[in-house]
Amino acid sequence: MKRENGFPAARGFGLLVFTAWKEKKSVLFLCPALAFLGLGMGLIRCLALPALLEKIVERAPAQSLLGSAAVFAAALTGLAALREYLRQNAIYGRIQVRSSLVWKVQQKRAVTSFPNIENPKVRSLENAADLALNGNSAAAEAVWETASNLLEHGAGFLVYSFLLFRMGIPAFLLLSAAAAAGACAAGRQGEKWEAFCREEETKAAGQMLSACQKAEDPALAADARMFDMDGWLWELYGDARSRYQKCQAEKQKGKFLADALCVLLETIRMALTCAYLAALVWSGRMTPWDFLLGVFAAKACARCAEGFLEDLFVWRGQGRELEKVREDLEREEPFHFDDGLPLDAEQTGGALFADNTETWELKLENVSFRYPGASGYALRHINLTIRPGERLAVTGKNGAGKSTLIKLICGFYDPTEGAVLLNGQDIRRYNRADYYRLFSAVFQQTSLLAVTVRENITQTAGEYDRARMEECARRAGIAGKIERLPEGYETHVTTTVYPDGTDFSGGELQKLLLARALYKDAPILVLDEPAAALDPLAEQDLYKRYRKMTEGKTGIFLSHRLAFSGFCSRIGFLENGRIVQEGAHEELMKEKGGYAELFETQSRYYRKGGADEGI
């Protein structure tokens, strides 16, 4: 996404201001209010002591002196109390604005096009956006404090400069500005050195943490003892610890030098200021209390100038971080969603889900696909028609392109060349969310949410059909397991969040996910390596269930294990990204090609003595 001309962070600030205006307008008004209250407190501190000194020198009555002191104290206390009250109230508003942006980002990611999930550039942008949103110190919240400080220091520099100018010492405006610029430059150089050291420090800290975690990891306990890894882990930890300590020392050295330079510049500035103002007092051109006021004003002016420059650097950096949030929210989607055509009868020849057995035909027409950044094609010139109610198996050796093919059929990717057609229409025309409604699936890489078994099956925390849920669990072969749980269908899944929850074995997980797919009751059922975690007997039982469950539906099975071949009407054998064989099991066995070779090789492992046959 290209940046607009002008201040590169302006678009990020624009997003934040727009969100604040919609969510919590008070945040916008509290920012300058806090700045001017802080400025007022600084002015009172600057004016109070010289004014009281003047009264003391002039031998003003004690009542007048105490009254003036009380006025200054009351004003300072009142402004400080009001500022703290507004600051505490501002915190909640700032959190609300940041939380609103977090919610928008999460909504975007939850429905983003699938290619974005596997795109390294998109993931990098998302990580950058997360840095601006995660935590109270992140840019989306901290920027308000920075803006308030920036306004306070900028206004303070102008006010104190005017005060010094009225006192007849404008030359010290340049001195203050020069000293502030030098101190800021030293500080920035120190930060750069610290950032340079931090990169290596972070790597070393990560290696130390990894070594500690591995030493405590139960999964590694057996290997650690079998291969005597404790000494090796300690060596890795010691090496990382040495590098970490070296980085710490280098970072502290750079910070000390930068701080020392800042102190030196401030000392020189104050010495010259005091010497010049003292000469004015000795010559009779300035009173002692004006001397004190001049010292305070010059110090405050330099402090505001230095603070303004520092705030400006921080503010610009926070703006660049916020721009990443805006880029993340505004990045274009490769698929149509709300702007896509609805999947209805007029465009497809049948109403959605009106007739699961006859309505939906999928066709891959001369499809080729290459992953972004890849040098070669994962699939080439695929022509495949999946007829309504058909059971299709897709198999092949590892790396043949099976997973890529299923992603194209399910609409997770669009072809690089060719088209995927639904009832003769390119699916790129439609709202992709509508297209996904056609599919129920059990993918190889899956996870359960830390909610109840019921919610995992029905995919809702609201209303559901209990009888239908229980029937789906029964058909999937998991009902008995669920009913034996302490709370039945209301038992929480996984023990990571709920100590009283339950974990499922690999086979049980597959059945639970199958029950979820059945509950959706979509016309097309996709199974990606469904028996990968099962033993041969459980695998046979699972495929018997699949045969019954796919009656009246289109079934697409993806596996490199060939036990499904007996109940699939057609098999496609992939090799090097192409469908090199297609037909029923008996036909492919007669061809004596790659499918027959793979089938025979696998079948030997299930025969007695297969391992002794040189396999």
Side-chain angles (χ1 to χ4, degrees):
M1 183 175 295
K2 296 182 179 179
R3 293 177 176 172
E4 296 177 354
N5 295 329
F7 184 43
R11 298 176 69 251
F13 290 127
L15 170 66
L16 191 66
V17 171
F18 176 77
T19 304
W21 183 259
K22 288 186 62 179
E23 297 292 333
K24 199 72 174 178
K25 294 181 177 64
S26 62
V27 172
L28 300 173
F29 301 109
L30 288 174
C31 189
L34 290 168
F36 287 111
L37 285 172
L39 176 59
M41 291 169 60
L43 281 172
I44 291 174
R45 294 190 187 100
C46 184
L47 297 172
L49 190 57
L52 294 175
L53 179 62
E54 182 179 8
K55 286 184 176 292
I56 293 172
V57 171
E58 293 179 351
R59 297 181 180 278
Q63 184 179 0
S64 175
L65 179 62
L66 293 174
S68 297
V71 169
F72 281 122
L76 187 60
T77 303
L79 290 180
L82 179 60
R83 189 169 189 263
E84 181 61 20
Y85 173 77
L86 295 181
R87 192 184 71 82
Q88 291 294 333
N89 280 274
I91 291 174
Y92 301 107
R94 294 170 184 177
I95 293 175
Q96 183 175 338
V97 173
R98 178 176 61 84
S99 299
S100 177
L101 288 175
V102 170
W103 176 243
K104 290 179 181 178
V105 166
Q106 293 303 321
Q107 282 184 310
K108 171 79 172 181
R109 295 178 188 178
V111 299
T112 191
S113 302
F114 188 86
N116 288 336
I117 298 173
E118 298 186 344
N119 188 326
K121 291 182 178 179
V122 174
R123 290 202 302 270
S124 177
L125 176 60
E126 290 178 347
N127 291 336
D130 287 341
L131 288 176
L133 294 172
N134 291 343
N136 302 110
S137 60
E141 190 171 328
V143 69
W144 297 108
E145 187 75 19
T146 304
S148 183
N149 292 338
L150 188 66
L151 185 58
E152 179 182 342
H153 290 145
F157 179 77
L158 296 177
V159 170
Y160 292 119
S161 297
F162 176 76
L163 185 60
L164 291 171
F165 182 81
R166 289 296 301 270
M167 294 176 68
I169 48 176
F172 282 91
L173 298 177
L174 296 178
L175 179 61
S176 296
C184 183
R188 295 298 297 174
Q189 192 61 37
E191 290 176 4
K192 289 181 180 179
W193 178 251
E194 185 177 356
F196 174 77
C197 294
R198 189 184 300 120
E199 183 177 352
E200 182 62 27
E201 179 187 31
T202 302
K203 291 180 182 178
Q207 290 175 343
M208 290 168 59
L209 179 62
S210 176
C212 291
Q213 290 176 336
K214 290 299 182 183
E216 300 171 359
D217 187 2
L220 192 66
D223 287 338
R225 286 154 179 78
M226 178 66 69
F227 295 97
D228 193 23
M229 296 172 63
D230 57 332
W232 178 50
L233 287 172
W234 176 247
E235 183 180 344
L236 292 175
Y237 178 86
D239 178 66
R241 183 170 178 266
S242 297
R243 288 187 287 110
Y244 180 81
Q245 291 175 332
K246 182 179 179 181
C247 291
Q248 284 279 311
E250 290 291 328
K251 188 171 67 172
Q252 291 301 320
K253 178 182 177 181
K255 187 176 187 303
F256 171 78
L257 292 176
D259 291 344
L261 181 56
C262 290
V263 171
L264 178 62
L265 290 172
E266 176 63 13
T267 302
I268 293 173
R269 186 196 64 78
M270 284 301 299
L272 292 175
T273 299
C274 291
Y276 177 75
L277 294 179
L280 294 178
V281 173
W282 288 332
S283 66
R285 288 182 291 170
M286 179 177 285
T287 63
W289 47 87
D290 283 339
F291 168 85
L292 195 58
L293 178 60
V295 170
F296 287 166
K299 182 178 178 62
C301 186
R303 179 180 59 80
C304 287
E306 182 180 349
F308 181 82
L309 292 176
E310 286 288 347
D311 294 336
L312 186 61
F313 281 121
V314 174
W315 192 61
R316 287 173 65 91
Q318 290 170 335
R320 285 191 289 268
E321 291 185 49
L322 289 170
E323 187 185 13
K324 296 299 182 182
V325 178
R326 184 158 190 163
E327 288 183 14
D328 190 26
L329 289 171
E330 293 182 351
R331 55 184 162 80
E332 296 181 359
E333 293 290 342
F335 297 163
H336 289 300
F337 287 101
D338 292 337
D339 58 338
L341 295 175
L343 206 59
D344 58 25
E346 181 179 347
Q347 289 147 352
T348 61
L352 190 61
F353 304 148
D355 190 340
N356 292 343
T357 61
E358 300 179 1
T359 303
W360 310 107
E361 179 184 84
L362 289 168
K363 184 176 183 180
L364 280 70
E365 193 173 73
N366 199 31
V367 164
S368 297
F369 180 77
R370 179 172 59 191
Y371 285 97
S375 58
Y377 282 84
L379 294 174
R380 291 302 305 265
H381 307 301
I382 300 294
N383 290 284
L384 178 67
T385 299
I386 305 172
R387 292 176 286 274
E390 181 180 25
R391 287 194 290 262
L392 171 71
V394 178
T395 189
K397 298 177 182 179
N398 289 334
K402 301 186 298 296
S403 295
T404 302
L405 180 63
I406 212 68
K407 289 178 181 178
L408 291 170
I409 291 173
C410 291
F412 294 148
Y413 277 102
D414 282 337
T416 306
E417 300 169 10
V420 177
L421 307 179
L422 177 67
N423 287 3
Q425 299 293 328
D426 195 323
I427 67 170
R428 282 175 280 212
R429 306 175 62 216
Y430 301 121
N431 181 322
R432 194 59 60 97
D434 279 356
Y435 182 75
Y436 293 149
R437 291 175 61 196
L438 297 174
F439 296 86
S440 288
V442 178
F443 294 110
Q444 184 177 5
Q445 295 181 343
T446 56
S447 62
L448 296 176
L449 295 178
V451 293
T452 64
V453 173
R454 168 180 59 81
E455 290 169 316
N456 271 288
I457 294 176
T458 63
Q459 292 293 285
T460 180
E463 296 182 0
Y464 69 100
D465 187 332
R466 184 172 186 86
R468 177 177 158 198
M469 175 191 68
E470 293 176 349
E471 173 63 16
C472 291
R474 185 191 63 77
R475 292 174 63 193
I478 194 66
K481 162 73 175 181
I482 297 173
E483 291 167 359
R484 288 192 299 271
L485 295 174
E487 302 295 330
Y489 287 89
E490 299 303 319
T491 302
H492 286 102
V493 174
T494 78
T495 57
T496 55
V497 177
Y498 300 98
D500 60 342
T502 188
D503 291 311
F504 288 86
S505 67
E508 292 168 344
L509 174 62
Q510 289 288 338
K511 293 177 180 179
L512 184 62
L513 295 173
L514 180 58
R516 181 181 69 177
L518 291 174
Y519 188 87
K520 183 179 179 181
D521 195 30
I524 303 173
L525 180 63
V526 176
L527 302 170
D528 181 7
E529 298 286 1
L534 304 181
D535 58 67
L537 293 177
E539 181 181 9
Q540 183 182 21
D541 177 68
L542 189 64
Y543 282 125
K544 287 180 179 179
R545 295 181 183 277
Y546 285 159
R547 177 193 292 272
K548 296 179 180 179
M549 288 181 290
T550 53
E551 291 178 356
K553 296 180 180 293
T554 301
I556 304 174
F557 302 88
L558 177 70
S559 180
H560 66 279
R561 294 166 66 169
L562 306 183
F564 57 79
S565 57
F567 71 91
C568 287
S569 54
R570 189 158 53 104
I571 300 168
F573 184 74
L574 277 170
E575 192 172 68
N576 297 324
R578 298 174 183 268
I579 297 180
V580 295
Q581 289 181 282
E582 186 178 348
H585 171 71
E586 293 78 9
E587 296 172 358
L588 298 185
M589 291 299 294
K590 292 178 181 179
E591 291 181 8
K592 301 295 184 180
Y595 175 83
E597 179 184 357
L598 184 63
F599 185 87
E600 286 295 334
T601 300
Q602 288 188 19
S603 64
R604 291 176 193 172
Y605 283 102
Y606 296 101
R607 297 172 188 161
K608 183 177 179 181
D612 298 326
E613 296 178 14
I615 300 172

